[in-house]
Amino acid sequence: MLKTRIWKKQMIAILFWACCTFLSHTKCIFAHEGHDHGSNTPIAIKKSTVAHLQSILESYKSLYKKVLEQDIQRIPLLAQNIMDAAQSGVQTEKKGEGRYMMEHIFQHAISLKKGETLENAKESLGLISSELFPFFIAWPMQLKENKLRLYHCKNDEKYWFQAENSAPNCPYAHGELSTCTIIEEVAYK
């Protein structure tokens, strides 16, 4: 009986040691300093930040339309609107993934405002989309509430959001006659 108890304690100690060793050697991958894209923590924002997110989305929808129309005249104004809303979101969100999202949207909006070509606008649209993507994956009902659909172009491997009542149209297509041949709606339940 004594040997059985000792044996059980030894096995528990070995299992405990093995678990601790395994967990201490797991590798964390960070997309960039201070931002952990590898975590399973969903991006959450405060209720007070939702208004700023909605302002970003309204300007994003207009930006999407302007990129499709290849009209870059109003893009600096739309970029400024996105910058203002993102900056307000940064001030509202004191820490966490929501703040990082707003900071990065702000940075991409600066690039958008400085860009002078349609290609720069497409690139910035893609970068802003990539920042919004994790939020909407974590909270798919927000797509419905904001009357948006999320699409993926397999040609360019990029995502974008557009109004739910319009046919899918890839903003990343190159040239007037070029169209994406494989567009899929990203649906999450």
Side-chain angles (χ1 to χ4, degrees), residues 30 40 53 91 113 188:
F30 297 98
N40 291 331
L53 177 65
Q91 292 170 356
K113 188 173 181 178
Y188 290 90

Side-chain angles (χ1 to χ4, degrees), residues 8-41:
K8 284 181 181 177
K9 288 181 181 180
Q10 287 176 339
M11 290 308 293
I12 290 172
I14 290 171
L15 286 173
F16 179 74
W17 174 81
C19 288
C20 289
T21 302
F22 175 74
L23 292 174
S24 68
H25 291 337
T26 57
K27 189 173 184 179
C28 296
I29 300 171
F30 297 98
H32 35 80
E33 188 175 311
H35 194 139
D36 180 8
H37 280 293
S39 75
N40 291 331
T41 306

Side-chain angles (χ1 to χ4, degrees), residues 4-76:
T4 306
R5 273 199 244 161
I6 292 173
W7 186 78
K8 284 181 181 177
K9 288 181 181 180
Q10 287 176 339
M11 290 308 293
I12 290 172
I14 290 171
L15 286 173
F16 179 74
W17 174 81
C19 288
C20 289
T21 302
F22 175 74
L23 292 174
S24 68
H25 291 337
T26 57
K27 189 173 184 179
C28 296
I29 300 171
F30 297 98
H32 35 80
E33 188 175 311
H35 194 139
D36 180 8
H37 280 293
S39 75
N40 291 331
T41 306
I43 294 177
I45 58 174
K46 296 178 181 178
K47 285 185 178 182
S48 55
T49 308
V50 171
H52 306 307
L53 177 65
Q54 289 172 338
S55 295
I56 290 170
L57 293 174
E58 285 303 313
S59 294
Y60 177 96
K61 288 178 198 176
S62 298
L63 173 62
Y64 168 78
K65 288 177 187 173
K66 292 298 176 187
V67 168
L68 284 180
E69 295 168 356
Q70 299 183 356
D71 176 16
I72 61 170
Q73 298 301 321
R74 285 198 52 227
I75 288 180

Side-chain angles (χ1 to χ4, degrees), residues 32-37 39 41-46 49 89-90 92-104 131:
H32 35 80
E33 188 175 311
H35 194 139
D36 180 8
H37 280 293
S39 75
T41 306
I43 294 177
I45 58 174
K46 296 178 181 178
T49 308
V90 167
T92 305
E93 292 290 322
K94 296 301 178 198
K95 60 181 175 176
E97 296 293 320
R99 181 181 176 93
Y100 289 125
M101 178 182 74
M102 291 295 182
E103 287 173 346
H104 295 142
E131 292 300 331

